[in-house]
Amino acid sequence: MRKETDLIKQRRQKIDALKASGYTLFPNDFDVSHTIKDIQDAIESASEEAPSTQFTAAGRIIAINRFGKSSFIRFRDATGQMQAYIQKNKVGDETYALFKQMDVGDFIGITGPVFKTRTGEWTVLCEQIKLLTKAIRSLPEKFHGIKDPEKRYRQRYLDLIMNENTRKIFKTRSMVIQSIRQFLLDRQYLEVETPMMHPIAGGAEAEPFKTHHNALDMTLFLRIAPELYLKRLVVGGFDRVFEINRNFRNEGVSTRHNPEFTMLEFYQAYATYTHLMDLTEQMFQSVAQQVLGSQTFDYQGETIDFSSNWKRLTLSDALVELGGLPPTILNDRDALLAFAHEQNVPMKQDRKTGKILTKLFDILVEPKLIQPTFITAYPVEVSPLSRKNDHHPELTDRFELFIGGREIANGFSELNDPDDQRERFLEQVKERESGDNEAHPMDEDYIEALEYGLPPTAGEGIGIDRLVMLLTNAESIREVILFPHMKNKAGN
């Protein structure tokens, strides 16, 4: 049983006293006519003169200053905060006695005009005040707030109450998603919803979460990507589709990874991966301008610039120019393994050349890609759903976008040859049989869909959480997810 502090006991005593007096606790009959922003807008419109309007507003008390027969309070709703003034001779003895039972954290409803105090602050003059919700637990001390990250993530509601920056982050997140959605809708993309539970965990190389459907008596997987379903829709005749929704990957938790995360995936028929690079650049510029009012912003001590033309490098050129890889060993598997050992890059000795190259890139190059950079020409063996390049068939028409030293997006011209796709899947099956749990499984139904014909198509996935991290200067992905996954507390 949770131990009750003296403050909680005091508040329960107040609740008991209110019940004994016949007061209806937790009423739901208070009609709000104005938000705090509405009041502030009305004041601004009235210039120096106080508006004559009677305002009825509600919110949480965040501060109380009592002076015997009068008091000042600060209260806050979702739109802002404001001061109110309560006088005993204005509201009456009974109401003022009720007010004395109120505490910081309680929700109240107030009615009255506004006036300007001697210090020049616009304030609601309470003519009526009503207790709407009595908070049993007291809020953290306001000057220190909640600084412990563990407590902030576990009790996000307290974090939102106490920390203005947290509220700002999640308002920004909402604006980012709205801006992306409108950007795509304006370009004739159709927003769709595809299944969250899949009979085959496909669309990406990742380990899935597994569940069981009792009625159908079948194993299902929480989706690791919506890709294969979205491409089925392009087969069906929807030439431009997108989805903003959750993906689930049974991987580690870190400052960059959460097992449940939000992705934008979109597909466009008769487009190539180069078209999507152009579109992505335009999208990010548009989103930053709408959300931040600028295409240049600070991220963890670096100035990120979305406004100029974004750099494009092949994977091999990036490894040579930024990773220090000798160009003569790009296709020499044994030499690559030796180089990895020299650079203290952990590497399984049975890895194929393509996977060695991408692992070296992850360690030696990715952290250096601060400004927006598209990396292209990924090996076929690490790109099972990507179209082969016409001139270099060992490579694919694929890109990944890096900003701030981390991957933000992945896109490619889609593989629409069903026979080639089957062969790629078979290679992935061999990888799975040799112990790679993240290798792509065989999906016969998807191959059958391709046999009906997928037009030339390009597709892309963008990590919404990581994009929000950039635009809010957040160091950890947990800062931009309302309820990040965490271990159970000891004893739970």
Side-chain angles (χ1 to χ4, degrees), residues 260-276:
E260 177 183 1
F261 60 99
T262 302
M263 286 283 289
L264 160 70
E265 287 219 16
F266 61 100
Y267 293 83
Q268 180 175 333
Y270 315 110
T272 69
Y273 76 112
T274 58
H275 292 130
L276 292 198

Side-chain angles (χ1 to χ4, degrees), residues 271-286:
T272 69
Y273 76 112
T274 58
H275 292 130
L276 292 198
M277 285 193 281
D278 294 339
L279 185 72
T280 302
E281 189 170 338
Q282 296 163 16
M283 179 193 297
F284 279 40
Q285 290 169 345
S286 173

Side-chain angles (χ1 to χ4, degrees), residues 64-73 84-93 96-97 99-100 115 118 125-126:
I64 301 178
N65 290 315
R66 303 186 193 272
F67 305 100
K69 296 182 180 181
S70 66
S71 300
F72 282 98
I73 66 169
Y85 182 56
I86 301 100
Q87 283 181 303
K88 184 176 183 180
N89 63 4
K90 190 76 172 176
V91 299
D93 293 349
Y96 201 75
F99 169 70
K100 290 174 72 173
F115 72 102
R118 287 196 298 270
L125 176 61
C126 287

Side-chain angles (χ1 to χ4, degrees), residues 119-254:
T119 60
E121 182 171 359
W122 285 104
T123 302
V124 178
L125 176 61
C126 287
E127 295 182 348
Q128 297 177 35
I129 184 167
K130 184 172 184 175
L131 178 63
L132 303 181
T133 297
K134 183 69 185 166
I136 296 174
R137 294 182 177 270
S138 58
L139 297 178
E141 202 275 323
K142 67 178 182 179
F143 294 108
H144 296 96
I146 306 176
K147 294 192 173 8
D148 177 18
E150 173 120 350
K151 187 175 181 67
R152 289 177 49 234
Y153 304 149
R154 288 191 187 279
Q155 295 180 279
R156 183 66 88 185
Y157 47 90
L158 281 181
D159 187 25
L160 291 165
I161 292 170
M162 301 306 299
N163 297 325
E164 171 62 29
N165 188 57
T166 300
R167 296 194 296 276
K168 183 178 179 182
I169 284 173
F170 289 104
K171 289 178 181 177
T172 300
R173 181 187 176 102
S174 179
M175 292 171 63
V176 168
I177 293 172
Q178 291 178 51
S179 180
I180 288 172
R181 174 175 283 114
Q182 195 58 55
F183 179 91
L184 292 171
L185 291 174
D186 288 345
R187 286 157 180 79
Q188 289 76 54
Y189 280 82
L190 177 70
E191 183 170 14
V192 298
E193 294 177 308
T194 60
M196 304 293 279
M197 294 192 296
H198 294 181
I200 296 174
E205 291 187 330
E207 189 166 349
F209 288 94
K210 186 185 297 186
T211 187
H212 186 79
H213 193 291
N214 291 335
L216 296 177
D217 190 23
M218 64 183 293
T219 297
L220 291 171
F221 303 92
L222 296 184
R223 77 173 181 196
I224 56 177
E227 177 168 342
L228 301 189
Y229 282 94
L230 290 171
K231 287 193 282 194
R232 285 174 170 94
L233 297 181
V234 182
V235 170
F238 289 145
D239 287 347
R240 298 186 181 201
V241 293
F242 77 95
E243 182 172 7
I244 302 173
N245 217 323
R246 292 292 218 228
N247 289 350
F248 306 85
R249 298 183 184 179
N250 202 349
E251 57 190 17
V253 177
S254 70

Side-chain angles (χ1 to χ4, degrees), residues 287-313:
V287 170
Q289 191 66 46
Q290 290 187 47
V291 173
L292 303 179
S294 173
Q295 294 179 27
T296 303
F297 55 92
D298 292 331
Y299 181 71
Q300 300 298 302
E302 300 279 356
T303 299
I304 306 295
D305 186 3
F306 279 4
S307 64
S308 57
N309 289 330
W310 295 10
K311 193 171 183 178
R312 301 182 183 189
L313 280 173

Side-chain angles (χ1 to χ4, degrees), residues 316 319-321 323-331 335-336 339 342-343:
S316 57
L319 280 165
V320 171
E321 293 178 21
L325 184 73
T328 55
I329 70 168
L330 278 166
N331 298 308
L336 288 171
F339 179 80
E342 291 171 7
Q343 299 297 318

